[in-house]
Amino acid sequence: MSNFQEQYKKLNPEQREAVDTVEGPVMVVAGPGTGKTQVLTLRVANILQKTQVNPGNILALTFTENGAGEMRRRLVEIIGTVAYQVNIFTFHGFANELIKEYPEEFGEILGRRSASEVEQIELLQEVFSDSKLKLLRPFGEPFFYLPASRQAIAHLKKEGINPADLADILKKQQKEFEAIDDLYNYSGRYKGKMKGKYADFKKQLDKNTELALVYKNYQAGLAEKKLYDFDDMVLQVLKSLENN
C-alpha cells in the first residue's frame, strides 16, 4: 500500500476526510478535474485495507466508459490485481449486467433488443405524426420539438419517472393551477383574460401534458417493436431492485 500512502499525501484535508470515512455515506461536491475519481478510488482502496469487506461486494458507478476504465486502472496501481474483483461500471453497464444475470426478473424487456439512436428518432417521428399534438407539433415544422422531447424523456427516465408517474404529477399541477384565486384580470382593458405570468405557466403545463402523451406512446412503440433504450434498462433495474 506504499502507492496508496504516496497518493494519499497529495490530497487536501477535505479529500482525506472523504477517503478516511469508510463507514456511512459521504457526498463530495466538486467541479470537473478536481480529483473526484481519485478520491473515490482511494476510498475504495482504504475500505479494502481497513475492513474485511469482500472486493466483489463493492460497487462503483460512473457516467462514462472512460471514467470506469480510469478508475479500474488507478485501483490496480494502488492495490494490484484484486482491483479486478471490484465491480466498476457505468450506470447502464451495471443495469445490463443485472439483466443478463437475472433475466427472469426483467419480463418487461425480456426478448427485446437495444434500440439504436436512429431507431429511437424514427419511432419518435412516428409518435409525433400519429399523436394529437398542437403545441409540440407547430405548423410547418412538425418535428421542431422532437430533439427537446427526446432529451426530456431521457431525463425523466434517469429520474425514475415513467409515463404514469408523469401523468399523475401533471394532474396534481393542473389541480393546483386551477385553485389559484387570481388567475384572471378582474378589471381594466384585459378584464376576463388570464394574467400574463399564469398564461405562460399554463402554456408550459399544456406542453408537458403533450410530452406525457408522447412519452406514453413512445414507450408503447418500443414495446410493440420489441425494443428498449438504454435509459429503460436503468428504469427496469430500479423497479426490480425496489421489488426484490
Side-chain angles (χ1 to χ4, degrees), residues 68-201:
E70 180 63 15
M71 194 180 302
R72 177 84 67 193
R73 184 189 65 77
R74 294 185 190 186
L75 198 56
V76 170
E77 287 180 356
I78 297 169
I79 64 175
T81 56
V82 71
Y84 291 106
Q85 299 176 40
V86 178
N87 295 287
I88 303 175
F89 295 104
T90 62
F91 285 91
H92 294 121
F94 175 60
N96 192 46
E97 198 70 19
L98 279 183
I99 291 168
K100 285 195 299 183
E101 190 170 353
Y102 303 99
E104 68 281 358
E105 299 288 342
F106 301 94
E108 288 186 35
I109 59 174
L110 202 61
R112 298 197 207 178
R113 64 175 178 82
S114 177
S116 68
E117 186 173 352
V118 171
E119 287 174 319
Q120 292 174 43
I121 293 171
E122 287 177 344
L123 176 55
L124 272 175
Q125 287 177 337
E126 290 177 23
V127 169
F128 266 67
S129 298
D130 297 339
S131 302
K132 293 181 179 179
L133 306 175
K134 292 182 180 179
L135 296 172
L136 292 185
R137 196 165 178 265
F139 180 76
E141 289 289 345
F143 301 130
F144 179 80
Y145 286 107
L146 190 150
S149 297
R150 181 169 174 249
Q151 188 176 21
I153 289 171
H155 180 73
L156 287 164
K157 290 183 178 184
K158 287 181 174 68
E159 294 295 325
I161 299 173
N162 62 36
D165 294 332
L166 180 58
D168 288 342
I169 291 169
L170 292 172
K171 281 180 184 177
K172 182 180 178 182
Q173 288 184 351
Q174 183 67 38
K175 284 184 179 180
E176 292 173 350
F177 177 77
E178 292 171 354
I180 297 173
D181 55 11
D182 68 333
L183 277 175
Y184 298 93
N185 292 290
Y186 296 106
S187 62
R189 61 184 295 193
Y190 297 110
K191 183 179 179 180
K193 292 187 176 181
M194 188 176 289
K195 293 181 179 178
K197 61 180 179 180
Y198 295 130
D200 291 341
F201 181 81

Side-chain angles (χ1 to χ4, degrees), residues 37 62 64-72 88:
T37 300
T62 77
T64 66
E65 292 287 354
N66 285 342
E70 180 63 15
M71 194 180 302
R72 177 84 67 193
I88 303 175

Side-chain angles (χ1 to χ4, degrees), residues 37-56:
T37 300
Q38 183 72 344
V39 167
L40 181 55
T41 304
L42 288 172
R43 187 173 188 237
V44 169
N46 205 28
I47 290 171
L48 293 174
Q49 178 179 238
K50 292 183 176 178
T51 72
Q52 298 300 312
V53 170
N54 186 321

